[in-house]
Amino acid sequence: MGKKKAPDYSITDIRLEDCLPIRQRVLGPTLTQDECRVPHDETACHLGGYLNSDLIACVSLFRLDADTVQLRKFAVLPEFQGHGLGSLIIQSTFERCREQGFTLMTLDARVTATGFYDKHGMTPVGDIFFKGTIKHIRMIKPL
């Protein structure tokens, strides 16, 4: 039996408008694409995860101060979850943020996703809180 070929994933900067359909489908299926925008989106760095030439994931990075970056709106299309692209993206964001001089990453994780972030060295801080009806917890990682 031959070895299974790894998927041809790539990560690159994308426009906010490219993120919105994925955000809507994964994070806010009852919202319009416009309602999937968040404050300061226009100044954030948006990254896209591709399989071959198809955009299948996105994440947005927001500068909070000179040392801290916030990861928001991380979404991988459901049919591609669990195949390694999310891990590739999160590691890529850590490297990119380190290169840009950030020393701390923070995010508000859905409680259902904390295992993924924990696996990548992020630590929960504080108490569980709600965004709408969804339980979240703040997580941090020194870079």
Side-chain angles (χ1 to χ4, degrees), residues 16-41:
L16 168 61
E17 290 73 23
D18 299 324
C19 289
L20 296 176
I22 293 175
R23 283 183 184 178
Q24 180 188 34
R25 182 164 167 213
V26 178
L27 303 174
T30 63
L31 305 175
T32 66
Q33 284 186 20
D34 200 50
E35 291 170 326
C36 292
R37 295 174 185 269
V38 294
H40 310 292
D41 253 341

Side-chain angles (χ1 to χ4, degrees), residues 67-92:
D67 299 315
T68 310
V69 62
Q70 183 180 29
L71 184 145
R72 297 186 74 186
K73 300 298 180 184
F74 187 9
V76 177
L77 292 178
E79 60 270 31
F80 298 103
Q81 293 176 9
H83 298 281
L85 179 59
S87 292
L88 183 66
I89 291 172
I90 195 97
Q91 291 302 322
S92 178

Side-chain angles (χ1 to χ4, degrees), residues 10-12 47 49 59 61 69 71 74 76 84-100 105 107 115-122 141-143:
S10 61
I11 301 164
T12 189
L47 300 174
V59 66
L61 300 169
V69 62
L71 184 145
F74 187 9
V76 177
L85 179 59
S87 292
L88 183 66
I89 291 172
I90 195 97
Q91 291 302 322
S92 178
T93 63
F94 295 158
E95 291 169 24
R96 181 184 185 120
C97 291
R98 266 189 224 104
E99 289 168 0
Q100 293 181 357
M105 179 177 283
L107 62 86
F116 171 81
Y117 294 112
D118 181 62
K119 179 174 85 171
H120 293 286
M122 300 202 76
K141 177 178 175 69
L143 299 171

